Amino acid sequence: MTVATLTKTRRTPLKAGFAPPEHDLGFVLGAIGNKLFVRDRSLAQHVAWSVQHGVLEFLDDRSATMEEVAANTPLTEAGADSLLSVLAAIGFLVRAADGRYSLTTVARDFFLPRSPYFVGDQLDPSGLPIPGPYLRRRADFLTRAKLRLLTLHPSIRYGSKVRIENQHARNLGACAAAVRTGEFAGVHFLIDVAGGSGAFAIPLALEYPSMRIILTDLPRATKNARPLLVEHGLQDRVELLACDAFEYPWKIPACDGMFIGNFLHGFDDAVCDRICRESFERLSSGGTVWVHEMIWNESRDGPLITALWHAAMRGGGPGRQRTAQQLSKLLRDAGFRDIRTIPTSGAFALIRGSKPG
Ligand SMILES: C[S@@+](CC[C@H](N)C(=O)[O-])C[C@H]1O[C@@H](n2cnc3c(N)ncnc32)[C@H](O)[C@@H]1O
């Protein structure tokens, strides 16, 4: 088989009794600085922008918070947060418990212009421009036009075929691992909110043949998820329901399980709070919600794949990756109790909460 045919070949459908991947895809992607996101920015680009915008030089003789870096460089808080997070995750910075960042010796040796071993001016990362939300000043006309053009590409549109297939490739492994935690064994009827391609619903339906499962998403997404269900022979097992998560109340039946995967990371805390409260309302008493997200480690300086996702979310809107504590608080504030964190694959974890019976 040639490489050209390989790239066009669909992956083999999952089958009942599937084995989740042995390795964490996030680790593999972190190592090559790629997220499988559309509009991906490489790891080298993040380092080059940090050098170009003086982040490392500003930290030469001081430690500083993200806000202080933003105030003293051309970066916004979103930009400073993104770049500091990536630099800490690759070991160029240390992040103290109070959120202050300082340089490590490797960064001093190679990324400060005053060092004879400076290499920062030799990084030549081709690719996309720095995201507009990272900079306080407006980008020049050509850059703005380039960024605008990117937003017209179908891969950017939620629910497009290419986007759904991209989500599937990126999230299937972690979702298969989530199913295999055994967390869902007692559920009778689960609703997968903003379930996209079925990356979670498909392994769930294969693992639990008698569970009722509804996958909700925007109309275009449910249309493009159907071929994936058909490919797995699950078109009669997983019900598709077009439902906009921002139209309240959600028009869904009461259920005893709800799954919200990779959705909250797209939004700010106020929106997430509203979504969590709505899920609490729609669940039956005694029901359980599971949020599945790529989370930060306890010192909030890694792993690298979380830092890269965080940087991508902050460059595209109000989203961000969160710690397990931040996600737990969102569930607690919505009324959920007995909140627990269950690791699934690499940086991914389930945060579960129960609606009191
Ligand atoms: C990052 S994907 C996650 C999909 C899936 N849960 C997973 O983990 O692979 C986010 C999903 O949210 C959906 N979405 C975006 N806005 C939505 C809305 N207003 N209502 C419902 N779904 C929405 C998108 O179509 C997309 O499938």
Side-chain angles (χ1 to χ4, degrees):
M1 187 182 286
T2 65
V3 172
T5 51
L6 251 185
T7 55
K8 285 187 181 142
T9 306
R10 295 192 70 85
R11 68 190 60 75
T12 303
L14 270 187
K15 289 196 174 64
F18 63 86
E22 272 182 45
H23 298 281
D24 161 30
L25 175 65
F27 175 77
V28 178
L29 294 178
I32 57 173
N34 188 293
K35 305 170 285 297
L36 299 187
F37 276 30
V38 288
R39 272 193 316 188
D40 228 340
R41 264 84 169 181
S42 75
L43 187 48
Q45 282 181 292
H46 289 84
V47 177
W49 297 330
S50 305
V51 174
Q52 284 159 12
H53 295 294
V55 174
L56 294 131
E57 271 188 282
F58 177 66
L59 293 170
D60 184 2
D61 52 0
R62 58 175 73 81
S63 67
T65 61
M66 171 256 285
E67 291 83 1
E68 288 164 352
V69 171
N72 290 279
T73 64
L75 298 171
T76 57
E77 286 195 7
D81 182 22
S82 300
L83 298 185
L84 291 168
S85 297
V86 172
L87 292 176
I90 58 176
F92 286 15
L93 301 178
V94 170
R95 184 180 190 275
D98 62 0
R100 301 187 80 78
Y101 292 88
S102 48
L103 293 182
T104 59
T105 52
V106 71
R108 284 183 190 288
D109 279 348
F110 298 117
F111 290 94
L112 284 180
R114 69 173 176 77
S115 165
Y117 309 112
F118 180 60
V119 298
D121 57 344
Q122 300 300 312
L123 294 173
D124 185 18
S126 54
L128 300 171
I130 187 168
Y134 282 15
L135 294 179
R136 275 203 302 279
R137 68 171 160 68
R138 233 172 148 219
D140 59 53
F141 175 76
L142 262 181
T143 307
R144 289 205 313 276
K146 198 170 172 184
L147 289 168
R148 176 85 191 107
L149 266 180
L150 287 169
T151 65
L152 301 178
H153 194 270
S155 61
I156 287 302
R157 277 205 308 276
Y158 272 138
S160 67
K161 185 169 180 292
V162 41
R163 182 133 184 184
I164 284 289
E165 288 179 354
N166 172 259
Q167 287 170 202
H168 200 69
R170 176 160 23 96
N171 299 328
L172 182 65
C175 288
V179 167
R180 275 298 164 83
T181 58
E183 274 289 306
F184 307 94
V187 178
H188 299 288
F189 174 20
L190 182 136
I191 298 190
D192 184 0
V193 175
S197 66
F200 176 73
I202 288 169
L204 186 74
L206 293 171
E207 186 80 347
Y208 299 109
S210 58
M211 187 187 295
R212 181 178 177 202
I213 301 167
I214 291 184
L215 184 161
T216 74
D217 206 300
L218 297 170
R220 192 188 308 118
T222 52
K223 176 173 158 271
N224 287 319
R226 181 171 297 283
L228 281 155
L229 296 182
V230 171
E231 202 175 279
H232 289 85
L234 294 171
Q235 63 277 21
D236 299 324
R237 283 276 296 108
V238 177
E239 300 162 51
L240 292 170
L241 178 65
C243 174
D244 187 329
F246 298 125
E247 282 177 12
Y248 304 110
W250 293 345
K251 292 175 194 63
I252 55 172
C255 54
D256 63 335
M258 204 176 278
F259 183 85
I260 309 177
N262 287 311
F263 190 52
L264 298 185
H265 74 161
F267 310 105
D268 63 26
D269 284 349
V271 172
C272 293
D273 184 69
R274 182 71 183 88
I275 292 168
C276 291
R277 286 175 196 279
E278 183 66 14
S279 78
F280 185 86
E281 286 304 315
R282 304 274 75 81
L283 268 170
S284 316
S285 296
T288 306
V289 68
W290 288 269
V291 169
H292 195 220
E293 290 275 343
M294 199 179 267
I295 59 173
W296 286 105
N297 62 18
E298 281 186 14
S299 41
R300 206 202 167 282
D301 57 1
L304 175 56
I305 193 68
T306 303
L308 288 169
W309 276 40
H310 182 72
M313 301 318 292
R314 295 224 67 177
R320 65 208 51 223
Q321 300 306 127
R322 295 181 168 83
T323 61
Q325 290 81 354
Q326 288 170 324
L327 292 167
S328 301
K329 180 175 183 318
L330 283 168
L331 292 187
R332 198 173 307 111
D333 290 350
F336 291 103
R337 296 293 173 261
D338 188 22
I339 294 161
R340 275 181 271 159
T341 302
I342 303 105
T344 57
S345 175
F348 269 106
L350 289 165
I351 317 294
R352 65 165 279 175
S354 305
K355 177 168 174 170

